[in-house]
């Protein structure tokens, strides 16, 4: 088992990637602190872990509030005796979301309010800061450990209508680099994953929506790689578990000398290409040029 004897705290673990990773980490031997702002979702994840023979506790916390994050770490140590892994996974999208992807509300940048801005910063950036800060004393007491953050492909490239979200995720990447330098002397590694595909529709859905447990691509219907814009053509869609497995690598001893890295996951070559479309793409051929006006 890759995480035998380890204790992992995961924020935003009540649904989506956090729920999937909680189950995966537990199957690899870790005890899990399932941290979520929604207590029922957190309990649901704990039930899934326990049904599979794992050990987990549910902790309710809003990562925008530093004291609640401190208390979540304290509850983890009280329950399991230590902390090895702290994953700042909780995140929210900018108001309006990505309309072309999930039918969200179209919100012009200049119409975003200060409250919109503060909300996204509070979860996506301050939440990572608070989680890392609260975890350090426990990790140091344990002789070292791992801090992981969830960034996004939006930290590298632009998506429509989510400038605030993109800014916070780029900030996460910078924080990861800085913390790897500051915390390395304590034996603490700091990394991030940056998913492109294989994430949960719950991320773009209103609060309280039933947990889906599948990726956007999986719920979209029969998978046909020939019409997918992803350069890598596989016979199945990207999944939550694909991202969770990348996270597992970064929190396990298999990546013992990796720190300060933001790893794009499940992009399948998407981030490597230029914006132009070519006839070889098949699914998105460029317009024909006839020379006529």
């Amino acid at each position: 088992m890759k995480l035998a004897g380890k204790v992992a705290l995961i924020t935003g673990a009540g649904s989506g990637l956090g729920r999937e990773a909680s189950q995966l980490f537990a199957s690899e031997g870790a005890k899990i602190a399932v941290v979520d702002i929604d207590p029922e979702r957190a309990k649901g994840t704990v039930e899934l872990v326990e049904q599979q023979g794992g050990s987990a506790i549910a902790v309710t916390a809003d990562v925008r509030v530093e004291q609640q994050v401190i208390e979540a770490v304290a509850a983890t140590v009280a329950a399991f005796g230590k902390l090895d892994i702290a994953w700042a996974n909780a995140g929210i999208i900018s108001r309006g979301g990505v309309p072309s992807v999930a039918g969200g509300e179209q919100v012009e940048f200049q119409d975003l309010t200060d409250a919109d801005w503060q909300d996204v910063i509070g979860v996506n950036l301050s939440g990572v800061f608070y989680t890392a800060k609260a975890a350090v004393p426990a990790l140091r007491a344990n002789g070292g450990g791992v801090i992981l953050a969830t960034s996004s492909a939006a930290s590298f490239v632009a998506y429509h209508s989510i400038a605030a979200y993109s800014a916070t995720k780029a900030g996460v990447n910078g924080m990861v680099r800085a913390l790897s330098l500051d915390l390395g002397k304590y034996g603490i590694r700091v990394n991030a994953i940056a998913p492109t595909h294989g994430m949960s529709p719950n991320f773009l859905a209103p609060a309280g929506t039933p947990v889906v447990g599948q990726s956007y691509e999986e719920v979209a219907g029969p998978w046909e790689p020939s019409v997918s814009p992803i350069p890598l053509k596989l016979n199945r869609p990207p999944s939550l578990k694909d991202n969770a497995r990348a996270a597992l690598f970064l929190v396990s001893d298999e990546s013992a000398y990796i720190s300060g890295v933001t790893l794009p996951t499940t992009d399948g070559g998407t981030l490597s290409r230029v914006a132009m479309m070519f006839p070889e793409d098949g699914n998105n051929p460029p317009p024909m040029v006839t020379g006529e006006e």
Side-chain angles (χ1 to χ4, degrees), residues 210-225:
V211 177
V212 175
Q214 292 182 303
S215 68
Y216 304 112
E217 294 83 2
E218 287 174 322
V219 302
W223 176 251
E224 178 47 66

Side-chain angles (χ1 to χ4, degrees), residues 95-191:
R95 182 166 67 92
V98 188
S100 61
V101 173
E105 173 191 7
Q106 181 68 51
V107 180
E108 295 293 332
F109 172 71
Q110 66 272 18
D111 294 329
L112 291 171
T113 66
D114 181 63
D116 294 328
W117 173 242
Q118 297 300 334
D119 202 30
V120 177
I121 288 180
V123 177
N124 295 358
L125 200 53
S126 295
V128 175
F129 176 83
Y130 294 149
T131 302
K133 184 169 178 276
V136 167
L139 294 175
R140 288 186 63 183
N142 196 40
V146 182
I147 295 170
L148 184 68
T150 300
S151 182
S152 168
S155 69
F156 299 116
V157 295
Y159 288 71
H160 286 292
S161 304
I162 55 170
Y165 175 83
S166 298
T168 60
K169 293 303 184 178
V172 166
N173 297 355
M175 194 186 311
V176 162
R177 288 190 295 269
L179 290 181
S180 71
L181 184 62
D182 291 340
L183 302 179
K185 61 189 175 184
Y186 304 125
I188 298 173
R189 299 189 294 113
V190 188
N191 292 298

Side-chain angles (χ1 to χ4, degrees), residues 78-97:
F80 298 127
K82 63 172 183 169
L83 180 66
D84 299 283
I85 299 159
W87 182 359
N89 171 67
I92 61 171
I93 198 71
S94 306
R95 182 166 67 92

